[in-house]
Amino acid sequence: MENRIQISVVIPLYNEDESLPELYAWIKRVMAENHFTHEIIFINDGSTDRSWAVIEDLASKDSCVHGIKFRRNYGKSPALFCGFRAAQGQVVITMDADLQDSPDEIPELYRMITEEGFDLVSGYKQKRYDPLSKTIPTKLFNATARKVSGIPNLHDFNCGLKAYRVDVVKNIEVYGEMHRYIPYLAKNAGFDRIGEKVVHHQARKFGKTKFGGLNRFVNGYLDLLSLWFLNSFGLKPMHVFGFLGTIMFFVGFVAILVVGGIKLSAIWSHTPAPLVTDSPYFYISLTMMILGTQLFLAGFLGELISRNSAGRNDYQIEKEI
């Protein structure tokens, strides 16, 4: 292997100062038992507690500990994006900081990547210790995600415990709230060797969950719809907007011709006929032509404007260790 570091553990966190020392000690024990060269990257996502002070203390005692501190709370996806950018290990392991993900899973996840040839291995928490407000939306969301993404073997897309070949994290862009769909992003980038491992899920030891069930349910579906659309039409918006616009304009134009033809036929045969503007079909046809033109122009403009915003992943980092 080219890289000297075998494993990078990337841990996004928000107000988890109580759990960090125990999580750090647990990870170090696993690394020592398996003789892994490693680094631990904590991304402090605008915490208002003592999380950063704890990270600084750990880093002062252990050169394997690195820290990134955001000036404000951006969310899990930006934290992972910056963690992925900083990671140097051959295999990148992500986990939550709340002690619900077990570091004891790391050796097997590492083996599945390095020996079985997976690009990505996602954890599957079969037995969960979350409230119903979190588990029911999660089940519905995962069923939809399997169908839309075309990855039928994954049961838990949003599990924070995952392992990646380093090439994967360096070639995907995690933004907004797309952390839920990293396997889908990886597949779209050409990394389709995606596996799953049943992992142990522990009850939360400190504090309470930072994610509400309804919020996850609604945002999850909106993000999935957005990702599906961008993957299908993002690079060629004319394919959807131009097609729909052309169809609407054509139907409206044909309808206008029919209405006009009926009027001309009546005039030709000297038969009394109502004004064209008295027919509701005239206005429906005209509206369809206008909407069709607007959709076509939207597709054309979409082809000219790149969907990648220059500042989309520009996060204000206050400190780095």
Side-chain angles (χ1 to χ4, degrees):
M1 295 273 184
E2 296 180 3
N3 246 324
R4 183 175 58 85
I5 299 175
Q6 292 173 290
I7 297 177
S8 294
V9 183
V10 175
I11 306 171
L13 62 104
Y14 177 69
N15 291 344
E16 298 287 358
D17 58 350
E18 293 178 300
S19 63
L20 290 181
E22 185 174 337
L23 177 62
Y24 163 77
W26 194 352
I27 293 173
K28 293 298 291 187
R29 176 178 59 79
V30 171
M31 296 298 178
E33 289 174 353
N34 294 273
H35 308 289
F36 289 135
T37 55
H38 65 281
E39 62 179 355
I40 304 172
I41 304 172
F42 292 105
I43 304 94
N44 183 25
D45 186 24
S47 296
T48 56
D49 62 2
R50 295 189 65 258
S51 292
W52 184 250
V54 174
I55 294 169
E56 286 186 315
D57 181 61
L58 294 174
S60 68
K61 300 173 182 176
D62 185 353
S63 61
C64 294
V65 173
H66 309 295
I68 298 172
K69 182 184 181 184
F70 287 168
R71 290 188 179 275
R72 66 173 180 85
N73 179 252
Y74 285 102
K76 190 172 184 178
S77 290
L80 287 174
F81 173 82
C82 292
F84 288 164
R85 186 171 58 183
Q88 300 180 50
Q90 298 158 359
V91 174
V92 178
I93 306 284
T94 60
M95 62 173 53
D96 295 335
D98 55 12
L99 295 174
Q100 290 189 284
D101 294 332
S102 172
D104 289 333
E105 306 286 354
I106 290 176
E108 180 61 16
L109 289 171
Y110 177 80
R111 189 195 66 79
M112 292 178 72
I113 295 291
T114 57
E115 296 183 16
E116 295 188 27
F118 287 108
D119 295 316
L120 183 157
V121 179
S122 181
Y124 172 29
K125 299 171 182 175
Q126 273 187 319
K127 184 177 181 181
R128 303 185 67 98
Y129 294 93
D130 291 324
L132 288 177
S133 62
K134 191 173 178 180
T135 55
I136 292 177
T138 294
K139 288 183 180 295
L140 293 172
F141 150 71
N142 281 314
T144 306
R146 282 195 296 273
K147 187 70 175 177
V148 173
S149 68
I151 311 176
N153 61 312
L154 291 192
H155 295 84
D156 192 356
F157 278 74
N158 198 34
C159 178
L161 186 57
K162 289 184 173 68
Y164 311 82
R165 191 179 304 280
V166 67
D167 292 345
V168 176
V169 302
K170 299 299 185 183
N171 287 282
I172 62 174
E173 182 186 12
V174 188
Y175 62 94
E177 294 188 22
M178 292 299 178
H179 60 273
R180 300 180 178 94
Y181 305 107
I182 290 181
Y184 194 10
L185 292 171
K187 179 188 174 186
N188 292 341
F191 300 99
D192 55 3
R193 290 171 294 179
I194 298 173
E196 183 175 73
K197 180 187 183 303
V198 175
V199 296
H200 178 62
H201 185 229
Q202 303 186 127
R204 172 176 276 272
K205 190 172 182 178
F206 302 104
K208 60 181 181 179
T209 181
K210 310 298 190 301
F211 306 99
L214 182 60
N215 178 64
R216 286 155 54 91
F217 183 75
V218 176
N219 290 344
Y221 277 105
L222 292 177
D223 290 339
L224 182 59
L225 180 63
S226 174
L227 186 57
W228 172 81
F229 184 85
L230 289 174
N231 181 56
S232 301
F233 306 109
L235 297 179
K236 291 292 181 181
M238 182 63 87
H239 287 186
V240 58
F241 291 110
F243 175 75
L244 291 176
T246 301
I247 293 296
M248 289 188 69
F249 184 90
F250 179 75
V251 172
F253 182 72
V254 170
I256 283 284
L257 291 179
V258 172
V259 171
I262 293 174
K263 180 66 176 180
L264 290 175
S265 176
I267 293 173
W268 185 264
S269 61
H270 304 287
T271 303
L275 293 173
V276 169
T277 53
D278 289 339
S279 172
Y281 298 107
F282 171 78
Y283 295 101
I284 294 173
S285 302
L286 193 61
T287 301
M288 290 187 68
M289 291 178 66
I290 293 172
L291 289 176
T293 302
Q294 290 179 330
L295 282 171
F296 185 88
L297 289 174
F300 179 73
L301 291 174
E303 290 284 335
L304 300 179
I305 301 172
S306 171
R307 71 181 180 89
N308 294 317
S309 170
R312 183 165 67 188
N313 283 317
D314 183 19
Y315 305 114
Q316 295 299 313
I317 297 174
E318 183 177 346
K319 291 181 181 180
E320 286 191 64
I321 302 174

